[in-house]
Amino acid sequence: MAQLYDRLINYINSNIPLLGEPIDILGEGSSFTATEIIIPIVFLFLVNLIGNLVRATLINKILPRYVHDRKTVLSIGNTTKYTLLIIGVAFLLTAIGLNEDSDLNYPFTKDKDGLPDLTLFDIARLIFFMTLLVFLSGKLKTIFVKQILSKYSDDIGVSQSIGTIIQYFLIIVGAFVVIQNSGINLGSLNVLAGALGVGIGFGLQNIANNFISGLIILFERPIKVGDRIEVGSVSGDVVKISSRASTVNTNDNISIIIPNSDLINKQVINWSHNDRRIRYHVPVGVSYKEDPAVIKKVLLEVADANKDILKRPAPDVLFVGYGDSSIDFDLLIWTSTYIDKPIILKSQLYYEIFEKFKEHKIEIPYPQRDLHLKSGWTNTGKGQK
């Protein structure tokens, strides 16, 4: 690559003398020609043009045939473009002399013969490919979950767990492949591994704890995406489980990030761990003069008329006791659609119960209080002197 670049520079300089005139800026020994400036700019322009063409082709013609999620299509197209740009810049830097033999390629470790064993460029290359591996595995997970597993399972939590396991498997296998093909001696990573161990011991305990807790959540599955949970004062739906933290979305559309260790070490109430059928209690009080059998019939009619209440298990009404000013009932209902919004379902039922009570002239009593006056009070009537 470097030889081809030098030949191109020499060919242009020899055929276009104007571009071959040396330009001296920093003094003797630091001169360069206009060709050495123009060629890299033209090369980057062409690489960017090719990247845009490839991106447009992927987004408009190829990916829509296989991927229906527009965000995923755009993300893959943009990633492909920027990957081509990075590769082009790497080729350009190699051509102009910024390669393994460059003075900037600082050696971190050396072998027994004194030759560089782990260099700055090795680490930069490893970081680039590992970042690309993590990003692409995440996109493959999204495609696998939304395009493939969604056709065979309606449980988004199970699909997300399977997709995450596959993503981690690809990252582990890909990491071994990248390291083996990067020319890095695994023994030379001992120094970095030792430094990382010290970092975990002093400052990364929480990150390591959350990562391990994320693996426990992934395989043990005490919670999954789509579950309705309560952790302390937080109540909401699990929308994402990542390696460090999980995201819970409340009814007010507020996203709360909870560290995975809290989901393992604290008490978690999972409303949909077994299935999404939940029983709610709707307390109702009526006047003592009302017939309990009529009240039960009316409440069951209200429950049967609501399409969000399950027929199996069937609704039921319990006579729970005698209150201070009312006889109290408990309407028991099952639902799978309002698991995240129980207050809304209860509000609908109370509206319907109120209308039914008006229709049947059933009285809802006011609280009653008895007032007892002590005897012996001084008569303060107007006729007394």
Side-chain angles (χ1 to χ4, degrees):
M1 185 66 182
Q3 294 179 354
L4 179 62
Y5 178 80
D6 293 336
R7 289 179 182 178
L8 179 62
I9 294 292
N10 294 331
Y11 177 81
I12 295 176
N13 288 339
S14 60
N15 288 274
I16 308 177
L18 180 63
L19 298 180
E21 292 293 331
I23 302 174
D24 192 1
I25 295 180
L26 300 177
E28 186 176 357
S30 300
S31 62
F32 54 89
T33 64
T35 307
E36 294 175 309
I37 300 177
I38 296 175
I39 292 299
I41 296 176
V42 172
F43 179 79
L44 292 178
F45 175 80
L46 292 176
V47 171
N48 185 64
L49 180 61
I50 295 173
N52 286 330
L53 291 175
V54 172
R55 175 183 178 274
T57 304
L58 288 174
I59 291 176
N60 299 322
K61 295 183 178 181
I62 299 178
L63 292 177
R65 301 176 185 175
Y66 309 100
V67 182
H68 302 297
D69 186 12
R70 183 63 179 175
K71 291 183 178 179
T72 303
V73 170
L74 293 175
S75 180
I76 295 176
N78 292 330
T79 303
T80 304
K81 172 190 172 181
Y82 292 127
T83 302
L84 290 175
L85 285 175
I86 293 174
I87 294 174
V89 171
F91 274 110
L92 180 62
L93 294 177
T94 303
I96 64 179
L98 193 61
N99 51 28
E100 298 289 341
D101 298 327
S102 173
D103 294 336
L104 296 177
N105 192 16
Y106 177 78
F108 287 99
T109 60
K110 296 183 179 180
D111 57 17
K112 59 182 180 180
D113 297 326
L115 299 176
D117 195 20
L118 181 64
T119 64
L120 176 62
F121 286 5
D122 291 333
I123 296 177
R125 186 164 48 244
L126 180 64
I127 292 175
F128 168 72
F129 283 112
M130 289 300 297
T131 303
L132 187 62
L133 174 65
V134 172
F135 182 82
L136 292 179
S137 63
K139 295 305 174 185
L140 289 175
K141 170 195 170 184
T142 302
I143 295 174
F144 186 74
V145 171
K146 293 185 177 181
Q147 305 298 325
I148 300 177
L149 292 180
S150 60
K151 298 179 181 179
Y152 304 98
S153 176
D154 295 329
D155 192 337
I156 185 63
V158 174
S159 300
Q160 287 285 348
S161 297
I162 295 175
T164 302
I165 293 174
I166 293 176
Q167 180 188 13
Y168 287 169
F169 176 78
L170 291 176
I171 290 175
I172 294 174
V173 174
F176 280 109
V177 173
V178 169
I179 293 175
Q180 289 180 355
N181 289 274
S182 62
I184 298 178
N185 184 3
L186 295 179
S188 63
L189 296 176
N190 290 335
V191 177
L192 296 180
L196 182 61
V198 174
I200 292 176
F202 285 97
L204 302 178
Q205 301 100 322
N206 290 334
I207 295 178
N209 186 19
N210 289 324
F211 178 75
I212 295 174
S213 298
L215 295 178
I216 294 174
I217 292 174
L218 178 63
F219 289 99
E220 186 179 316
R221 299 181 67 230
I223 65 169
K224 58 184 181 296
V225 174
D227 282 353
R228 180 74 179 186
I229 66 171
E230 292 183 17
V231 185
S233 60
V234 177
S235 177
D237 298 322
V238 180
V239 296
K240 182 180 180 182
I241 300 176
S242 61
S243 59
R244 189 193 65 83
S246 299
T247 304
V248 175
N249 202 27
T250 68
N251 288 347
D252 296 325
N253 200 28
I254 298 174
S255 297
I256 300 178
I257 312 300
I258 302 177
N260 288 331
S261 59
D262 288 350
L263 299 175
I264 295 297
N265 299 324
K266 294 184 179 180
Q267 176 177 296
V268 178
I269 300 175
N270 192 335
W271 288 77
S272 53
H273 185 261
N274 297 321
D275 55 46
R276 294 191 66 83
R277 296 183 303 169
I278 298 296
R279 188 176 75 173
Y280 291 127
H281 298 256
V282 183
V284 177
V286 298
S287 173
Y288 269 90
K289 68 179 183 180
E290 304 298 341
D291 185 357
V294 175
I295 301 301
K296 180 177 180 179
K297 179 181 177 182
V298 171
L299 293 178
L300 289 179
E301 288 178 356
V302 171
D304 291 335
N306 193 301
K307 60 182 177 58
D308 292 304
I309 294 178
L310 299 176
K311 308 305 179 187
R312 296 285 187 277
D316 196 8
V317 176
L318 300 181
F319 192 154
V320 296
Y322 299 94
D324 293 336
S325 56
S326 64
I327 50 177
D328 300 326
F329 297 86
D330 193 4
L331 173 60
L332 305 179
I333 57 170
W334 290 82
T335 183
S336 60
T337 54
Y338 275 88
I339 183 175
D340 55 339
K341 301 173 183 176
I343 296 178
I344 294 179
L345 180 58
K346 289 183 179 180
S347 175
Q348 294 177 1
L349 292 174
Y350 278 132
Y351 275 119
E352 296 167 5
I353 290 171
F354 189 84
E355 294 299 325
K356 280 288 186 179
F357 280 6
K358 285 176 58 179
E359 178 183 338
H360 291 80
K361 295 181 172 37
I362 297 175
E363 180 182 342
I364 300 176
Y366 292 100
Q368 298 178 3
R369 296 292 183 267
D370 293 332
L371 180 62
H372 299 278
L373 300 178
K374 290 185 177 180
S375 59
W377 281 15
T378 304
N379 189 352
T380 57
K382 292 181 179 180
Q384 184 177 2
K385 295 182 180 179

